[in-house]
Amino acid sequence: MAASPAYGEEKGGSSSLGEPEYGHDPASGGIFSSDYKRHDDLKEMLDSNKDSLKLEAMKRIVAMIARGKNASDLFPAVVKNVACKNIEDPNQLIRASALRVLSSIRVPIIVPIMMLAIKEAASDMSPYVRKTAAHAIPKLYSLDSDQKDQLIEVIEKLLADKTTLVAGSVVMAFEEVCPERIDLIHKNYRKLCNLLIDVEEWGQVVIINMLTRYARTQFLSPNQNESLLEESAEKAFYGSEEEDTKDTKAEAASLAKRKPYVMDPDHRLLLRNTKPLLQSRNAAVVMAVAQLYFHLAPKAEVGVIAKALVRLLRSHSEVQYVVLQNVATMSIKRRGMFEPYLKSFYIRSTDPTQIKILKLEVLTNLANETNISTILREFQTYIRSMDKDFVAATIQAIGRCATNIGKVRDTCLNGLVQLLSNRDELVVAESVVVIKKLLQMQPAQHSEIIKHMAKLTDNIQVPMARASILWLIGEYCEHVPKIAPDVLRKMAKSFTNEEDIVKLQVINLAAKLYLTNSKQSKLLTQYVLNLAKYDQNYDIRDRARFIRQLIVPTEKSGALNKYAKKLFLAQKPAPILESSFKDRDHFQLGSLSHLLNAKAVGYQELPDWPDEAPDPSVRNVEVPEWTKCTSREKRKEKVEKPFYSDSEGESGPTESADSEPESASEESGSSSSSSSSSSGSEEEEEEEEEEGSGEQSEDKEEQEEKRTKRKEKEGSRKAAPGSTGSPSEEEEEEEGAKKAKKKKTSQGRKSHAETSSEEASASESSSSGSDSGSEAEAKRRKEPPSSKAGPKEISLLDLDDFTPPPPQPIPSSSIVSTSLVTDLEGLTLTDTSLAPALLSPAFGAVRTYELLHRMAGEGLSVEYCFSRRPFPGDPHMVAVQIQISNNTDAEVKSLRVSEPKPLSGMRIQEFPEIECLAPGDTASVVMGIDFCDSTQAANFQLCTHTRHFYVSIQPPVGELMAPVFMSENEFKKEQGKLTGMSEITEKLTLPEKCRSDHAIVQQVTSAANVGRVPCGADNEYRFAAKTVTSGSLVLITLERREGAAAQLTVNSEKMVIGTMLVKDIVQALAQ
């Protein structure tokens, strides 16, 4: 212990530079000293790079806590050490879990650490970690709202994320932190609309609710003209003076001058992209879409939500309750929407009381002159129910129907009077209350009913019913002059035993009778007022004093005495029986505030429509210069255009609004956009639209030239099989180069794309079939002669996002021999950007699949194979080589792809139309398909001039990837990042014929389009590839063990692809 003070003195006098060593440890000996510098030294140890020092510091901190010492100031340093390592873990699940734990610690002192972790996670390569970062943002904001500005920066970054996994979470964070920052949504609006269908269900709910409020601030009301017409009609109805009429005329004139409403294309985009979600299995999603349509859609289109909401009524009672609350609100303003589904709201005996009452509400709202008889018959059945609350609600519903529909008022009144003889007192009491309201509309015609109700005072004990009868008798005492005093006499007897509400009505009755029939009721009135004067309830005592001074004239009573009759017997307006849901639509439907009919905490008001439309250009996204010319972006724009300008009546403004940014990007990138086989023709069409009709004649001439060139080409195809001796390879290549040059000069960008794709397919088939002489000779006869060195140069230039102007064909390419090309193909390149373009199938011929059998195709047979080359038009598409054979005796004309119907996200680039295919001829073309890293089939129609054939191409999982070359160290580094759920392992037994290196590599590369990675170990084989669409890495390791045993490991973010790939490779190795 003597060493402890000495160490303390020494440490106190010296400044610690660098990391403390063990000999001069901060806590050796006096670890429980209160000296603040000891804690500083422990922090220093925790911040050091040595794990041993960190471990020692942690031990001592635990010891301090065990002795009850305060170590709270060390908390951030400890958290940083615990969380930091996990946040940098290669496994995405551990990184996300670490961030989730860190953000759940509700201690303000670690806010800076939490902020750093969120910022780092927002840039993480894994979308799951980015999603967790979005979830952590509201937690940090609730802990420290001063961080709002920094959090908004992170939200802005995450809003630009194109992953569906992140979209819902970041919008939730936006709603919690900065819902007023509507400017953050402008640039991401269209992306959110298009991603909506693929976001998870709860994310869809959040995004739809946010977009509802966004649309209310950015677009004009689609029903603005109708609402103005309704207002002017109402004013014309109620206004009786000439001034009102003049105002109405002025408003009508201004309405006529108003421009006709044209829906903003972005408004239409939102409505159209949310409509399919009405079929969602999640009730919350359906409800969210329903409220969006109710608040945003034109009246003519809102009806589509009715069927979806009725479907939800088959769900659990909790869901039914929420849906019926919203239907009850909707049915007040949009009654016609639910009328076809009237029977869906009929009440079942098994329904809970709350559901029954809500259905009654809806049925009452839907009642009109055509269906009222049906509804009243239903109500008649409901009155016999054992559920008393439900019966009371039914009687009120009958009263509302009688109020709203004049022709059934007498029928309803008679029915309710019959209920007065019901055995159940609650039924009678409710009927009395409703009859009282109905009688106020036509009291003179129903004096008999008032007499009948007066007799019920002896039997009915429910206070509200007794009070209603007394009010009726007092109000209309002139119609029953003989009965009214007798009722007062009976009530005076039992006054002291009555409820307060009844006592007040007895005093009112006495006052009215005193004013109208003082001879018979003067003494009774004084008696009742004396009883009330000494009542226990001060309201009754005050009422008695007030009425005595008002009706009984004395010297002290003022001028009010003269007006007593006018005060008591004034004409009172009949009550309007309204739905309790009448004004609820000012709350956003589907919200908690709407359900409670009160503003809940956190509720955001639904904004009013703007008078003038804000600038729509704020939603236009500027494409950066270096990406403007990529064919992938162009395909997205081309896909969006028909989506906007569908047959909705707004095609004119939609096209103009959408084509401006598109044309701008095309003009800027037109000089370097030759790689896409579709972009040429589509760009020409865009330019024609912009430049006007002056260029149409030139375009026709170009098309005629194209046709003549194609016919020349077809003629050369026909001549090739007919020739007796096959020409030499040098002559074929020379001829192909000449033809390519002719086509490029005559047809420009479009023909270049066509020839490049055909050349690629020809060279592919010739290289793959070079094993057997006879097969190669047959293929050479069938396919058009083309240059073999040409496509190599073109494909080298057609890399991912780099598309320079088309190179001129090199005349010297014809000198290269077939054997030299084959040798060049076999070389292994280390440059990752060039390697995939030069790759060909490693062993043997590519597997061929049948697309259309010649029997089904009526003589036309079509086969396809995956050429494993980059598609010239778009690096994100899989190149599919299609061989079409005409086995008929007649020419087949106009062979093309029509009406491709790919699934959501898929894209199909059609092959150029084949104008004519002679009998016995075969044509080879290449088309591109973006399968979106999925093995789902791409469906389209193969058309001739007479027939349409429905066909589909389904890719094996191994064809959805392209090879990647990397070193062994790079492979190991990437593999370390893809562990846990991203790793799939399978044990297998290798058959005898598949144990050599050559056989293993051949089988793996035949099952998947992968590149081999060099490996130092003799018993390991490594392969690498990336998925064509998303570029996700796929790493394959095959480890041979003792005997025939082996273990296959696949690492990939795409877990589904990894699982399917394992099955395919195991199957290939087992053959």
Side-chain angles (χ1 to χ4, degrees), residues 279-535:
Q279 298 170 18
S280 174
R281 63 181 180 177
N282 189 311
V285 175
V286 178
M287 194 62 248
V289 178
Q291 66 83 23
L292 181 138
Y293 261 74
F294 182 79
H295 291 304
L296 301 182
K299 279 189 177 178
E301 296 178 30
V302 180
V304 296
I305 66 175
K307 191 173 183 180
L309 291 173
V310 168
R311 173 172 64 87
L312 295 183
L313 296 180
R314 299 173 193 153
S315 190
H316 304 294
S317 57
E318 295 84 0
V319 174
Q320 286 184 52
Y321 181 76
V322 176
V323 171
L324 285 167
Q325 287 259 2
N326 289 278
V327 170
T329 302
M330 292 181 193
S331 59
I332 293 170
K333 283 199 173 180
R334 309 275 165 87
R335 180 190 299 169
M337 192 164 73
F338 295 100
E339 277 180 10
Y341 307 100
L342 185 70
K343 289 188 178 178
S344 300
F345 300 104
Y346 284 179
I347 290 149
R348 298 184 180 88
S349 57
T350 53
D351 286 337
T353 304
Q354 290 304 316
I355 302 295
K356 288 176 180 176
I357 291 169
L358 283 171
K359 283 186 175 179
L360 266 179
E361 185 74 36
V362 175
L363 286 172
T364 311
N365 291 343
L366 298 181
N368 56 33
E369 292 189 354
T370 55
N371 60 24
I372 186 64
S373 56
T374 313
I375 291 175
L376 286 177
R377 274 200 301 273
E378 272 295 302
F379 288 174
Q380 205 170 346
T381 313
Y382 301 160
I383 287 167
R384 301 193 194 105
S385 170
M386 299 299 292
D387 187 341
K388 300 307 169 193
D389 292 335
F390 171 49
V391 172
T394 305
I395 293 168
Q396 288 175 6
I398 293 170
R400 273 182 56 203
C401 288
T403 308
N404 299 334
I405 303 162
K407 76 171 193 178
V408 295
R409 190 171 297 150
D410 292 341
T411 312
C412 293
L413 200 52
N414 292 334
L416 291 170
V417 170
Q418 287 176 13
L419 288 178
L420 295 177
S421 56
N422 196 294
R423 291 179 184 175
D424 194 318
E425 192 180 347
L426 288 171
V427 174
V428 176
E430 199 65 43
S431 302
V432 167
V433 174
V434 174
I435 289 169
K436 170 213 158 189
K437 291 175 181 176
L438 291 178
L439 286 179
Q440 282 184 257
M441 297 177 184
Q442 296 170 323
Q445 298 174 18
H446 303 290
S447 56
E448 290 300 319
I449 295 175
I450 297 172
K451 289 176 185 176
H452 180 65
M453 291 175 71
K455 296 173 185 175
L456 296 173
T457 50
D458 297 334
N459 303 322
I460 293 178
Q461 298 302 321
V462 177
M464 189 66 199
R466 289 173 72 83
S468 296
I469 294 171
L470 291 172
W471 184 90
L472 265 178
I473 294 168
E475 188 68 19
Y476 306 112
C477 55
E478 293 172 357
H479 298 289
V480 283
K482 294 181 180 178
I483 294 175
D486 197 46
V487 171
L488 180 60
R489 180 182 60 78
K490 286 183 178 179
M491 297 310 297
K493 281 184 181 179
S494 59
F495 183 85
T496 52
N497 299 322
E498 298 290 348
E499 292 289 330
D500 292 344
I501 191 171
V502 181
K503 287 178 180 177
L504 289 171
Q505 290 305 327
V506 171
I507 296 170
N508 283 347
L509 174 62
K512 289 172 183 175
L513 284 175
Y514 183 87
L515 293 170
T516 57
N517 187 4
S518 59
K519 189 183 285 186
Q520 282 186 297
S521 57
K522 185 175 181 181
L523 293 173
L524 271 174
T525 304
Q526 288 178 354
Y527 175 68
V528 168
L529 290 175
N530 285 332
L531 287 174
K533 184 179 179 181
Y534 301 103
D535 196 86

Side-chain angles (χ1 to χ4, degrees), residues 758-830:
E758 286 172 9
E759 283 169 359
S761 63
S763 62
E764 152 55 29
S765 56
S766 61
S767 64
S768 63
S770 60
D771 317 304
S772 54
S774 60
E775 285 177 17
E777 192 69 30
K779 283 187 181 178
R780 228 177 273 132
R781 282 192 190 127
K782 284 182 180 178
E783 292 176 17
S786 59
S787 167
K788 285 178 182 162
K792 291 289 178 281
E793 292 172 14
I794 292 165
S795 61
L796 283 173
L797 290 167
D798 289 338
L799 294 177
D800 287 357
D801 283 334
F802 178 66
T803 53
Q808 295 299 319
I810 301 168
S812 61
S813 64
S814 59
I815 301 167
V816 184
S817 68
T818 315
S819 59
L820 180 56
V821 172
T822 313
D823 292 340
L824 286 170
E825 283 177 352
L827 288 174
T828 304
L829 300 175
T830 53

Side-chain angles (χ1 to χ4, degrees), residues 635-654:
R635 279 301 299 165
K636 281 186 182 172
E637 289 175 359
K638 295 294 182 286
V639 168
E640 278 179 13
K641 182 164 182 180
F643 183 86
Y644 279 113
S645 55
D646 218 10
S647 57
E648 290 288 338
E650 288 101 35
S651 58
T654 305

Side-chain angles (χ1 to χ4, degrees), residues 87 99 107 164 184 239 339 344 368 401 405 503 532 544 585 597 621 648 718 723 750 794 907 930 933 1000 1069:
I87 284 173
L99 179 59
V107 179
T164 53
L184 299 179
E339 277 180 10
S344 300
N368 56 33
C401 288
I405 303 162
K503 287 178 180 177
D585 59 340
N597 198 20
V621 181
E648 290 288 338
K718 290 175 195 170
S723 59
K750 182 176 177 181
I794 292 165
R907 298 179 295 128
D930 181 357
D933 296 343
I1000 288 172
L1069 291 170

Side-chain angles (χ1 to χ4, degrees), residues 618-670:
V618 293
R619 290 183 290 280
N620 294 341
V621 181
E622 292 181 11
V623 183
E625 285 295 324
W626 57 276
T627 58
K628 272 186 183 177
C629 59
T630 63
S631 52
R632 182 170 177 80
E633 291 297 324
K634 281 185 183 163
R635 279 301 299 165
K636 281 186 182 172
E637 289 175 359
K638 295 294 182 286
V639 168
E640 278 179 13
K641 182 164 182 180
F643 183 86
Y644 279 113
S645 55
D646 218 10
S647 57
E648 290 288 338
E650 288 101 35
S651 58
T654 305
E655 286 176 9
S656 63
D658 195 46
S659 61
E660 285 173 10
E662 196 175 79
S663 60
S665 65
E666 283 171 4
E667 283 168 10
S668 64
S670 60

